[in-house]
Amino acid sequence: MIGTVFRSEDVPAEDRFEYWRELVGRTRSSDLISAHTADYWAEYRLMELGPVTVWPSSFLPTRYRRSGKMVRRSDPELYHLTLLLEGGLALEHAGRTDTFGPRDLHMVDGSRPYDLRPADDRDRRAVKGVGVDFPKALLPLPPHLVRELLGRGLSGRDGTGALLTEFLVGLDRQAKTLQPSDAPRLGTVVLDLVSAWFAQVLDAEAALPQESRQRATAQRIQAFIRQYLHDPELTPSAIAAAHHISRSHLYRIFQQESQGETVAAWIRGRRLESARRDLADSSLRSTPIHAVAARWGFPRASEFTRAFRTAYGCSPREYRLQALSEREQTLSRSPMD
């Protein structure tokens, strides 16, 4: 598992809001104001990914205000990026005022005052989002360009913004299966996606280092492959054409960013993982194995069976029987066993 988890229920009711203030202050020093302090609720996962901190959280409407005095007292030289998933927020920062809804992102400079407040602080519906904090020095874009982004509402619904959004949401979903050794690499991916997205918004891709551009391109290509895994016509040629690069460039990117794994092997591996997940799904037990195979880009059942046996050491049928049997045994055990 990666990250540490806080739930307000783990703290006495009278201490919850103050404890939440302390947690947030570890990365975003600010005054917190809420109409719900007497019965506060929040959940939070802190993931330290090298120099990047990612913290998915849900909390009752709260105002976060950083004054000029607080900046002068402590300036950690960080940028704070926030992805909003549920609820509404309004932000005053860097001479701008903007509002945000689900799948919007905004960034503030921790070296400047800001005032981030809920759209309705009397509403007890939780605000849900993902915070990303990283050193300003690690963003490979000129500060005068970055200033154009501060306080603005930025959409996370399309392009590289959508890719960043899905990656951040996926980090929270997969946190239990990720290992601490994965953290530095994941932090690099977050920074590359943020950098590529900002450069795209600012029309400044040329300002990015070649390494950052290549890693972001690899993430876009892998996201594209996952989207079209079901298509048996998903070939290296089709992938290269969709991204306006040559096949040799595609092969080079994969060789450098996927530990030498080929494009075809990476596709096959993701297809087999998806098929294996479906075979272990009790709600799909009546779906024929050949239909599961076809769903994930294996139109010929014999080819699927050979590939599955090579990867997992048993046939798809044997795996399904074993997985479903183990699940039934688990469900049949009483809590006292």
Side-chain angles (χ1 to χ4, degrees):
M1 184 179 78
I2 194 169
T4 56
V5 176
F6 160 77
R7 296 182 180 87
S8 55
E9 289 86 350
D10 299 335
V11 178
E14 63 272 18
D15 299 330
R16 288 171 184 170
F17 185 70
E18 286 303 316
Y19 195 64
W20 178 246
R21 187 201 303 270
E22 178 187 338
L23 283 175
V24 173
R26 294 178 186 177
T27 55
R28 301 190 179 190
S29 177
S30 56
D31 287 326
L32 274 63
I33 304 167
S34 177
H36 312 287
T37 57
D39 187 19
Y40 198 72
W41 177 89
E43 292 185 350
Y44 167 98
R45 180 186 294 275
L46 181 68
M47 295 185 280
E48 294 181 320
L49 310 179
V52 178
T53 302
V54 176
W55 48 290
S57 59
S58 300
F59 50 87
L60 290 179
T62 304
R63 184 176 184 178
Y64 302 85
R65 187 167 56 187
R66 182 165 170 79
S67 65
K69 182 178 180 180
M70 297 181 75
V71 171
R72 290 189 295 273
R73 189 168 63 229
S74 173
D75 182 5
E77 293 286 327
L78 296 174
Y79 283 128
H80 306 306
L81 180 68
T82 300
L83 163 65
L84 184 60
L85 296 172
E86 295 179 13
L89 294 172
L91 173 67
E92 291 183 25
H93 180 56
R96 295 188 180 94
T97 300
D98 211 341
T99 58
F100 312 94
R103 297 276 163 164
D104 287 339
L105 298 101
H106 62 265
M107 188 170 76
V108 302
D109 181 345
S111 302
R112 296 181 173 210
Y114 59 78
D115 188 352
L116 180 65
R117 54 190 183 275
D120 183 355
D121 61 0
R122 295 166 298 180
D123 190 345
R124 275 191 65 86
R125 284 180 295 183
V127 175
K128 181 178 181 181
V130 183
V132 182
D133 304 317
F134 56 93
K136 294 160 67 174
L138 294 183
L139 187 62
L141 289 167
H144 73 276
L145 289 180
V146 177
R147 280 196 292 271
E148 297 181 24
L149 301 172
L150 299 178
R152 285 175 50 186
L154 303 166
S155 174
R157 300 175 189 84
D158 47 44
T160 307
L163 183 57
L164 172 63
T165 293
E166 293 307 317
F167 190 83
L168 293 177
V169 172
L171 278 177
D172 188 28
R173 289 174 181 160
Q174 300 298 324
K176 292 182 180 180
T177 63
L178 296 171
Q179 300 300 315
S181 58
D182 297 323
R185 178 179 57 84
L186 294 170
T188 298
V189 172
V190 171
L191 271 176
D192 287 335
L193 290 175
V194 170
S195 301
W197 178 46
F198 285 171
Q200 187 180 67
V201 172
L202 296 167
D203 195 22
E205 283 94 342
L208 292 177
Q210 175 64 27
E211 294 82 359
S212 295
R213 292 202 299 270
Q214 179 164 295
R215 285 193 292 261
T217 298
Q219 288 297 317
R220 283 197 296 271
I221 291 171
Q222 290 177 2
F224 176 87
I225 291 172
R226 289 189 183 97
Q227 182 179 358
Y228 292 101
L229 274 178
H230 63 278
D231 186 353
E233 300 302 318
L234 183 68
T235 63
S237 295
I239 297 166
H243 292 84
H244 309 290
I245 59 177
S246 66
R247 278 191 302 172
S248 60
H249 188 188
L250 175 67
Y251 294 147
R252 190 159 57 249
I253 289 173
F254 258 78
Q255 193 170 38
Q256 295 174 356
E257 301 297 328
S258 300
Q259 291 77 48
E261 192 172 22
T262 67
V263 181
W266 199 89
I267 294 173
R268 178 174 291 244
R270 304 295 85 70
R271 283 174 167 164
L272 287 169
E273 287 174 7
S274 299
R276 182 170 69 156
R277 183 180 63 243
D278 282 1
L279 290 172
D281 188 339
S282 59
S283 68
L284 299 175
R285 65 168 66 238
S286 62
T287 303
I289 290 175
H290 68 82
V292 171
R295 174 184 295 166
W296 294 111
F298 292 97
R300 290 183 291 277
S302 58
E303 178 189 350
F304 173 65
T305 299
R306 286 195 300 272
F308 195 96
R309 186 183 293 277
T310 298
Y312 303 117
C314 61
S315 72
R317 185 177 304 279
E318 291 167 341
Y319 176 81
R320 170 180 263 181
L321 289 172
Q322 179 180 349
L324 294 180
S325 174
E326 290 176 353
R327 177 176 175 80
E328 289 171 357
Q329 289 175 17
T330 300
L331 293 175
S332 67
R333 295 194 189 105
S334 69
M336 299 300 294
D337 285 346

